Amino acid sequence: MPPASDSHDGGVKRPRSITPTHLEQNPVAPQTPNTLQEEEDDEEIYGAAHFGNFGEYMRRKRAKLQIQNAALAQDNDAIFKGLSIYINGWTQPSVQDLRQLIVKHGGVFQPYLDRKAIVTHVITCSLTPAKLQEFKKMKVVRPEWIIDSTTQGKLLPWQDYKYIQEDRIDGAQGKQASQTTLSAFAPKDSSKSLDVTDRNASESSELLKRGATSLNPYASDSSNPIAKRALADPEWRRAHTSAAPDFVEEYYRNSRLHYLSTWKNELRALVTEAQEQLDRNQPLAGIDTCFSSEATIAHPQKLNQRLDKEIGSSISNTNTNASSSKLLDEDTTTHRPQRVIMHCDFDCFFVSAGLLSRPHLRGKPVVVCHSQGGQGGVSSTSEIASASYAAREKGVQNGMSLQQARRLCPNVVTVPYEFELYKELSLKFYTILLTHADDLQAVSVDEALIDVSTAVKELEDKFSANESNPSDPAKVLAEKIRTQIRLATGCEISIGIADSILLARLATKHAKPAGSYHLIHSSSATEPTNEILDFLSPLDITDLPGFAYAAKNKALERFGTSNVGELRNISKERLCQVFGKSTGDTLWKFARGIDDRRLERDGGRRSVSCEINYGIRFENEEQAEKFILQMTNEVKKRLDDIHMLGGSMTLKIMKRDPSAPVEPPKFLGHGKCEVLTKQTRLLSPNGRATNDAKVLADHAWRLLKAFHIDPKELRGIGIHIHRLEHGPEKGGTTIQRTAAPGQAVLSFTKEIPAVPKHTCTPDVSMPSPKSQIPPEVMDIDDPDPKGKKPISKDTLDLPSFSQIDMSVYEALPEDLRKELDEEYMRRSASPMPGVGPSRPSTSTAVLEQKSNLKTSNMKRITHQLAPRTSGPSLSPQKSALYRMMQPKAKSVSIPDAELQLFGIDPEVFHCLPEDLQREQLVRARLAKSGELIDAPTQKKVLKPRKPTGPVSRLAPRPKAGYREPVFLRQQGKDGEKRYLTDTDDIQKVIGDWIEKYRNSAPKEKDAKYFANYLLQCADGQKAGDDGLEKVIAIMKWWMVLLRKYWGACETPEEGYDPSNTQSRQVGEAWWRVFNDVKEQLDLVVRRKFGGTISLK
DNA sequence: ATCCTCCCCTAC
DNA sequence: TAAGGTAGGGGAGGAT
Ligand SMILES: Nc1ccn([C@H]2C[C@H](O)[C@@H](COP(=O)(O)OP(=O)(O)OP(=O)(O)O)O2)c(=O)n1
Ligand SMILES: [Mg+2]
């Protein structure tokens, strides 16, 4: 069974910020003042008092907590330390109260019952039978356990409070909690447990079963009746699911995650542009030009002057004229001096933005989500994008469902998204940051890393001139920036300062909300001091950037701890062993506060993708095909936006896991799924990477069909394009982005949405009138609407047929090849002039009639080609079949290029036993010495694996007759059995294979490998005609075996047979694989020999 | 060794 | 009702 996966759901993602809950719970001042405390004191000097009392208050409390948590291990009050507690359903006392008690006394409150998170205890007042079953291996206790324990100040035995229903619960088996040190930092992001899509569903399914709850929309096993009811109405389906004609557009208009990704890209580009301007010695003008047309922001220079006046700062910004890259360039050489990195991040960004127009909600528990039903939403599965700090106090987290939030905080207020506003604020934010930064890395719409070494240095010089000022210039600058941002946007940001990215990020968590924090060594030591180590020690691995739940699980599993301080004791070798070389090394360094990464520069895009895993509910193939069309059109737009062409496509689908309900708990979500991907080379008729909508659509549709999946089972579709090449910069097909999309795009495909979904791209970033551009304007902007039409055959500039790269040609979808064939014939450009019909038709039926005629030409042409590697991915991963088919002898060592010189296909060569390899070489050398290379027939062959243009693989075509079929030729040569060279052997392999999968469907990987092997035999010049015979023999044998075992399943039964046995499903899977392979073979055979293989 | 391919993982 | 996207780092392990 192919793997199922859902990275979102399995994980424990948690906000990086410190939950204010902790603050509330730990008001006691720390015993030992340390750096943190000192910084707090500093803060007072530097005027944090400007801010609302709220931020100041919170921040101070949190800082105290931070220190306290470090000592929490010894705290007698931490009676729940090491426990991870989940509260099920309605309880008395309330969830919030219990949660507060748990957290206050050192326990971990689990908002979800996550299969990956460790839950030591479940608290409940009542349990449904289903839950009872679900929890039967866990410690299920009544709330009194918590109450009594806290009142008595010690952890009472849970057994005394075991929750009992009529059925006996064997609760003693729950996993013991790992001894993880409590972190001062809150969890990274809201956990979305459970409809886990595992890449190895079978292995972990046992665990998966464990923790579904009705309150968790990601639980894997309960159905959503509301969704079921809605979907029963066909009208509704057609309006609200992927069956809708404009679903893609509508979806993207509302997907926050889509915006997040889009913005990040845009900001990166913008920053790069601005930096280039600055590098051209146009300090401020650059910024102005860059942004003025896109958002109404004050000129930075003026802004600064104004700000200086307003905040009465004696520090003027002396950095505005600094060259952006001078210092940076120095840095790149050897060891950089001492950087000052700031990590700047809006506090609860979406909420803060939303509150700009709702000031009365300040300080209240507010969340941003789609669901807006006032006090309703008790059962809403709508996801919370951002929660205010007041809401976080109650345990509400970003990414949580609204129903979860309501449970934790019944009076939480919901606020709608305002995407345009976010982008606007972000632009102001970035503009100001650029004003101070030597370098800037766009992290996200609300977050950036800046290198402010120069500005801090200048400030420092100024201070030292003043003498009497003991201020930390970095901190002063941070506060100045915060003030500027506040005045420009009305929002609070927090800033973490340090000399590395890692420490700056950690400092930010500490600074939030509405503060700044300089994580600095007291000494001027270059490497992390004890203070830094002490800061890090209480943290959890998930507090480190780049490490989340998977890392945590590995750490817990392999080291028994996820605490940074304890992980520091693990040797680098062990870490690398568990996490891999680079990641292990990084972890080792991070645990010691070492991070020498520089800020990332935009290195140019390497892939473009488009993926929707929500609301995918097809009833038939036609809907799926229409949807694919929408997706590929979207992909095309994205390619055009960045003037790129794609050389390769991966189609990714999510398929409902057989064990998952048809309607998952999350409304229209994908639920537990298997994730499958198929990849293909993506080449247009001109042999280059492409952006052609039709080519994209054809490839995608073809890939989708190759899954042979019931469209009803689809839950997600993604199209990824890689191996990007530069396309035309302007004009032609690349206009629509700068033109208003609607009209221009409509002009060539009806399916494309008429309204731009990029409502927040810079050119339309103003919320107002501009977002709707009149159609006339768009027409003017687009000089050549036709350029976006599928390439017209009449105007297409085709190379002469002989110039066509055959590997490219062969990689085309069949119908495209046919079309191309027809075109050549029509133009009399084919090697057999004038054979074709006068006009190509798009009718499949017609094309098929003609195919024989053309394939005979194809055969002649392909025969002249050099050997080539067969299609994409002849590189099986380790698999049972693969291992079975591996040659036992090691390969004779000889460069492939030399083999090719001999006309031997390396791939085949390496499959041969050693003695045969030698023999082949001897023969080849002999033959070559007696003949001239047939130069004129040399061809360039595009090597499938090299992304960069055609790699010439000069492979002189030996004279006909010379080259005996490498494969299978030795049959009968000397009765010795050889791997993969003898029919008997292969028959045995097939037999073994089937035997191995008598009771479960064959692995996709094996099937692919086997198919490739057969194709290799039948295709190209690797085998002569007896190669084909061999293939036919193998296929026949395979068929015989399948008939023997599953003869009844040869033709899949129509309709739904409730008595569908496991055996029947396995049989059908085998036949599906068989037919799939035969189909592929037929394709090759038809091309080569003009017919299909007959297994009669 | 170094590359490539097919994934997993992470961040917002 | 709800809108679970997207790009890049990098690891495992085969190909070169
Ligand atoms: N699961 C998530 C996480 C974040 N976001 C969006 C909304 C957030 O406001 C924005 C920024 O994410 P942050 O992680 O910076 O979180 P916030 O800014 O909301 O809070 P803070 O930074 O104060 O912790 O991204 C989202 O839509 N879904
Ligand atoms: Mg933020």
Side-chain angles (χ1 to χ4, degrees):
Chain A
M1 183 84 63
S5 141
D6 176 350
S7 55
H8 294 292
D9 305 343
V12 185
K13 297 183 177 179
R14 318 198 161 238
R16 297 176 293 97
S17 53
I18 294 161
T19 49
T21 309
H22 291 315
L23 316 185
E24 288 299 302
Q25 305 318 319
N26 299 278
V28 185
Q31 305 82 338
T32 19
N34 63 9
T35 6
L36 307 181
Q37 190 58 52
E38 284 159 18
E39 284 304 314
E40 285 303 310
D41 295 337
D42 280 353
E43 176 109 334
E44 287 175 7
I45 300 170
Y46 298 125
H50 285 289
F51 315 147
N53 290 334
F54 173 77
E56 181 65 13
Y57 168 79
M58 296 287 284
R59 196 169 46 68
R60 192 162 309 175
K61 274 197 171 181
R62 198 231 338 83
K64 290 173 181 172
L65 166 84
Q66 170 79 19
I67 301 147
Q68 185 177 318
N69 269 336
L72 205 55
Q74 299 101 293
D75 190 342
N76 290 333
D77 208 24
I79 55 177
F80 298 134
K81 178 177 185 298
L83 303 189
S84 175
I85 298 165
Y86 171 78
I87 299 174
N88 176 72
W90 181 88
T91 55
Q92 177 66 259
S94 73
V95 180
Q96 301 100 285
D97 292 345
L98 287 172
R99 178 179 158 278
Q100 299 214 338
L101 286 176
I102 292 165
V103 174
K104 179 175 180 179
H105 296 285
V108 172
F109 169 81
Q110 289 291 344
Y112 305 112
L113 196 48
D114 188 305
R115 92 188 161 89
K116 298 211 176 177
I118 290 157
V119 171
T120 58
H121 299 78
V122 174
I123 308 280
T124 191
C125 284
S126 70
L127 226 49
T128 62
K131 290 280 181 56
L132 195 65
Q133 179 65 18
E134 192 181 309
F135 297 155
K136 76 174 173 204
K137 297 224 164 152
M138 309 180 75
K139 299 172 184 172
V140 185
V141 296
R142 285 173 283 120
E144 290 77 28
W145 179 53
I146 302 288
I147 312 294
D148 293 355
S149 292
T150 49
T151 47
Q152 298 185 26
K154 64 177 180 189
L155 184 65
L156 299 170
W158 69 271
Q159 288 89 345
D160 296 351
Y161 298 85
K162 189 149 74 174
Y163 173 81
I164 313 265
Q165 237 174 7
E166 48 270 47
D167 290 323
R168 241 186 75 79
I169 302 168
D170 178 16
Q173 307 313 316
K175 242 207 234 162
Q176 198 53 50
S178 305
Q179 289 301 110
T180 66
T181 308
L182 280 173
S183 165
F185 285 23
K188 252 181 192 172
D189 197 348
S190 177
S191 145
K192 302 180 184 181
S193 59
L194 281 190
D195 52 31
V196 185
T197 52
D198 279 308
R199 282 259 154 203
N200 284 305
S202 51
E203 287 164 32
S204 45
S205 56
E206 216 26 65
L207 279 164
L208 297 187
K209 303 264 160 62
R210 262 207 304 142
T213 106
S214 58
L215 264 170
N216 179 356
Y218 295 98
S220 61
D221 53 1
S222 55
S223 184
N224 183 332
I226 298 170
K228 217 165 184 171
R229 198 171 341 116
L231 286 163
D233 177 5
E235 284 299 316
W236 192 92
R237 286 184 88 105
R238 252 166 275 141
H240 297 100
T241 70
S242 54
D246 58 348
F247 181 77
V248 170
E249 174 207 350
E250 190 60 20
Y251 180 75
Y252 280 133
R253 190 197 301 288
N254 292 290
S255 164
R256 75 188 201 281
L257 293 174
H258 164 73
Y259 281 108
L260 246 32
S261 297
T262 310
W263 288 331
K264 176 168 181 172
N265 273 328
E266 291 174 0
L267 287 165
R268 276 176 153 227
L270 231 44
V271 167
T272 305
E273 198 179 319
Q275 284 173 336
E276 278 165 8
Q277 296 251 11
L278 286 170
D279 284 349
R280 281 186 238 115
N281 286 334
Q282 300 172 335
L284 266 179
I287 298 170
D288 275 350
T289 10
C290 187
F291 290 105
S292 58
S293 64
E294 287 150 5
T296 48
I297 44 178
H299 290 206
Q301 216 157 20
K302 284 183 193 161
L303 183 67
N304 278 341
Q305 287 160 8
R306 191 169 59 88
L307 287 172
D308 284 349
K309 241 188 250 169
E310 282 185 25
I311 64 179
S313 165
S314 60
I315 311 141
S316 67
N317 183 356
T318 52
N319 186 41
T320 46
N321 289 322
S323 157
S324 77
S325 62
K326 236 178 223 161
L327 187 103
L328 200 76
D329 290 342
E330 280 168 25
D331 277 3
T332 21
T333 65
T334 61
H335 58 273
R336 22 176 182 285
Q338 180 91 339
R339 299 180 296 171
V340 180
I341 306 291
M342 287 186 183
H343 178 239
C344 312
D345 187 329
F346 278 82
D347 296 333
C348 50
F349 182 46
F350 286 11
V351 168
S352 300
L355 294 193
L356 288 177
S357 58
R358 300 170 183 82
H360 54 285
L361 293 178
R362 285 185 191 280
K364 298 223 166 66
V366 176
V367 296
V368 172
C369 66
H370 281 296
S371 176
Q372 289 299 315
Q375 277 302 305
V378 193
S379 67
S380 168
T381 63
S382 182
E383 238 172 70
I384 287 163
S386 184
S388 72
Y389 279 77
R392 288 180 204 199
E393 279 187 59
K394 305 291 182 114
V396 179
Q397 298 172 10
N398 289 1
M400 200 175 248
S401 75
L402 181 59
Q403 75 186 55
Q404 273 287 334
R406 284 251 188 261
R407 179 171 170 241
L408 292 163
C409 178
N411 61 338
V412 71
V413 179
T414 60
V415 156
Y417 289 94
E418 297 177 70
F419 292 116
E420 296 84 357
L421 177 59
Y422 309 149
K423 182 64 190 283
E424 263 182 76
L425 296 174
S426 183
L427 284 172
K428 294 178 183 174
F429 171 70
Y430 271 83
T431 303
I432 291 170
L433 294 188
L434 278 171
T435 293
H436 302 281
D438 300 325
D439 192 10
L440 188 154
Q441 174 184 338
V443 176
S444 88
V445 69
D446 86 320
E447 188 177 339
L449 287 157
I450 49 178
D451 184 330
V452 287
S453 305
T454 305
V456 170
K457 186 82 171 60
E458 287 174 5
L459 216 48
E460 197 170 7
D461 293 346
K462 197 170 234 165
F463 284 1
S464 61
N466 261 352
E467 202 55 54
S468 62
N469 198 338
S471 312
D472 171 3
K475 175 104 182 163
V476 171
L477 178 62
E479 286 305 323
K480 175 179 169 144
I481 292 173
R482 286 185 3 83
T483 305
Q484 289 181 338
I485 303 287
R486 185 180 329 106
L487 290 174
T489 68
C491 296
E492 288 295 340
I493 70 165
S494 295
I495 297 182
I497 315 158
D499 59 6
S500 71
I501 295 174
L502 169 71
L503 296 180
R505 292 190 92 123
L506 295 177
T508 306
K509 298 188 196 194
H510 195 262
K512 273 176 182 288
S516 62
Y517 180 69
H518 193 168
L519 187 46
I520 191 171
H521 336 229
S522 55
S523 70
S524 54
T526 330
E527 58 188 43
T529 57
N530 282 338
E531 294 143 277
I532 302 285
L533 295 184
D534 289 346
F535 182 92
L536 288 164
S537 289
L539 303 187
D540 188 84
I541 187 174
T542 54
D543 289 316
L544 304 176
F547 297 84
Y549 71 87
K552 177 170 179 146
N553 288 332
K554 273 185 202 170
L556 284 173
E557 212 169 277
R558 304 291 294 272
F559 306 126
T561 181
S562 61
N563 167 265
V564 171
E566 294 182 36
L567 287 171
R568 199 181 294 139
N569 297 324
I570 313 281
S571 75
K572 196 194 295 209
E573 287 66 34
R574 287 275 286 141
L575 290 177
C576 289
Q577 206 177 300
V578 171
F579 292 96
K581 198 172 173 328
S582 162
T583 312
D585 195 59
T586 303
L587 179 55
W588 188 89
K589 283 185 181 159
F590 278 14
R592 287 157 181 75
I594 304 168
D595 174 19
D596 31 24
R597 292 172 303 168
R598 7 186 69 265
L599 298 198
E600 274 171 31
R601 301 293 223 126
D602 189 3
R605 220 73 101 89
R606 307 192 63 76
S607 77
V608 170
S609 63
C610 167
E611 184 167 346
I612 296 181
N613 303 303
Y614 180 87
I616 306 295
R617 298 290 188 278
F618 298 118
E619 290 161 309
N620 52 49
E621 285 218 350
E622 190 194 336
Q623 289 177 353
E625 187 165 10
K626 287 233 170 76
F627 185 79
I628 285 283
L629 225 56
Q630 291 186 52
M631 294 279 279
T632 50
N633 283 332
E634 179 62 34
V635 168
K636 189 233 186 338
K637 270 193 271 177
R638 295 184 189 184
L639 282 171
D640 289 346
D641 281 352
I642 57 170
H643 313 298
M644 288 287 196
L645 305 172
S648 174
M649 172 188 288
T650 299
L651 185 79
K652 172 185 161 199
I653 64 167
M654 299 186 83
K655 175 182 180 292
R656 183 179 67 88
D657 188 276
S659 71
V662 174
E663 279 315 311
K666 182 175 166 66
F667 186 74
L668 289 188
H670 56 59
K672 184 183 173 192
C673 281
E674 296 171 65
V675 177
L676 308 168
T677 64
K678 273 189 197 290
Q679 201 197 2
T680 182
R681 277 295 233 141
L682 185 59
L683 297 158
S684 68
N686 66 12
R688 288 263 297 162
T690 190
N691 65 344
D692 185 276
K694 180 153 191 342
V695 175
L696 293 170
D698 287 345
H699 281 77
W701 179 238
R702 187 161 163 267
L703 288 171
L704 182 60
K705 272 195 304 189
F707 283 117
H708 300 300
I709 186 188
D710 180 352
K712 294 189 187 73
E713 300 293 282
L714 280 170
R715 290 294 178 272
I717 292 184
I719 295 174
H720 299 247
I721 305 295
H722 25 148
R723 296 177 196 246
L724 298 185
E725 293 175 17
H726 281 288
E729 267 300 310
K730 288 279 173 191
T733 58
T734 63
I735 291 298
Q736 53 273 64
R737 168 79 173 324
T738 40
Q743 277 295 43
V745 174
L746 264 183
S747 67
F748 87 95
T749 314
K750 292 179 215 63
E751 284 80 3
I752 289 198
V755 185
K757 67 169 188 320
H758 297 291
T759 44
C760 295
T761 50
D763 44 319
V764 286
S765 60
M766 291 303 295
S768 54
K770 215 187 160 191
S771 53
Q772 287 299 341
I773 297 168
E776 320 84 71
V777 177
M778 299 190 304
D779 282 344
I780 293 163
D781 282 351
D782 183 354
D784 179 20
K786 273 187 189 164
K788 275 155 276 151
K789 291 188 176 178
I791 295 172
S792 151
K793 293 189 186 69
D794 292 314
T795 57
L796 187 63
D797 190 12
L798 291 174
S800 82
F801 197 91
S802 63
Q803 291 173 316
I804 288 198
D805 179 323
M806 287 314 291
S807 74
V808 169
Y809 175 84
E810 285 162 19
L812 295 174
E814 191 182 5
D815 52 343
L816 271 188
R817 281 202 303 265
K818 284 177 178 169
E819 230 169 300
L820 196 61
D821 291 344
E822 302 222 30
E823 190 55 26
Y824 273 115
M825 285 187 239
R826 188 176 71 81
R827 295 183 191 194
S828 304
S830 79
M832 293 187 74
V835 178
S838 62
R839 191 71 196 102
S841 158
T842 49
S843 152
T844 321
V846 177
L847 281 173
E848 268 168 13
Q849 283 173 11
K850 293 165 191 158
S851 67
N852 274 351
L853 187 56
K854 281 174 309 202
T855 46
S856 61
N857 295 337
M858 288 298 87
K859 185 178 173 182
R860 292 187 54 220
I861 295 155
T862 49
H863 263 287
Q864 306 196 11
L865 290 177
R868 57 174 188 84
T869 57
S870 49
S873 73
L874 187 78
S875 57
Q877 302 285 81
K878 220 173 19 193
S879 70
L881 183 68
Y882 175 65
R883 278 194 300 272
M884 276 190 253
M885 295 181 80
Q886 282 313 289
K888 280 139 198 161
K890 16 174 226 281
S891 243
V892 174
S893 176
I894 178 172
D896 288 345
E898 200 169 331
L899 288 175
Q900 283 156 9
L901 270 178
F902 293 131
I904 298 170
D905 187 308
E907 279 183 20
V908 178
F909 181 84
H910 292 304
C911 287
L912 295 175
E914 203 173 354
D915 53 345
L916 280 183
Q917 289 179 340
R918 290 190 207 292
E919 189 188 328
Q920 281 291 311
L921 283 175
V922 173
R923 283 173 167 276
R925 278 188 229 282
L926 279 176
K928 191 180 173 191
S929 63
E931 72 175 358
L932 292 172
I933 293 174
D934 195 359
T937 58
Q938 290 183 8
K939 298 273 182 206
K940 280 188 182 175
V941 176
L942 185 63
K943 192 177 172 186
R945 292 199 179 102
K946 267 275 167 31
T948 49
V951 172
S952 66
R953 223 204 212 179
L954 297 177
R957 168 73 188 156
K959 255 200 225 152
Y962 148 66
R963 206 167 138 301
E964 294 183 75
V966 176
F967 234 156
L968 310 172
R969 182 193 54 76
Q970 72 290 349
Q971 178 189 22
K973 181 176 261 304
D974 54 19
E976 196 185 329
K977 284 247 175 190
R978 277 180 202 91
Y979 214 77
L980 279 198
T981 57
D982 184 275
T983 314
D984 292 343
D985 259 355
I986 295 168
Q987 286 180 349
K988 177 151 187 344
V989 167
I990 296 174
D992 291 349
W993 184 26
I994 294 178
E995 202 48 54
K996 197 160 189 295
Y997 294 94
R998 283 281 275 116
N999 301 315
S1000 60
K1003 295 267 183 267
E1004 181 98 356
K1005 228 172 236 175
D1006 290 339
K1008 197 165 123 191
Y1009 180 69
F1010 190 55
N1012 274 330
Y1013 165 71
L1014 291 176
L1015 288 169
Q1016 192 172 278
C1017 289
D1019 189 20
Q1021 289 65 46
K1022 287 152 196 158
D1025 289 350
D1026 59 340
L1028 186 60
E1029 276 166 30
K1030 187 63 68 179
V1031 167
I1032 290 169
I1034 293 166
M1035 289 299 286
K1036 271 188 186 170
W1037 176 245
W1038 190 9
M1039 185 174 67
V1040 165
L1041 289 179
L1042 290 186
R1043 280 195 177 142
K1044 184 173 133 202
Y1045 290 123
W1046 300 287
C1049 315
E1050 185 166 355
T1051 46
E1053 215 140 89
E1054 285 304 319
Y1056 299 101
D1057 181 6
S1059 69
N1060 219 352
T1061 63
Q1062 157 93 359
S1063 160
R1064 167 151 205 111
Q1065 289 184 13
V1066 171
E1068 282 181 5
W1070 271 104
W1071 280 109
R1072 212 164 35 241
V1073 168
F1074 176 84
N1075 288 323
D1076 190 40
V1077 170
K1078 179 161 187 305
E1079 210 171 280
Q1080 292 180 54
L1081 282 170
D1082 280 342
L1083 217 79
V1084 169
V1085 169
R1086 192 181 316 134
R1087 186 173 74 239
K1088 195 174 172 189
F1089 303 102
T1092 61
I1093 61 175
S1094 162
L1095 302 179
K1096 292 284 152 48

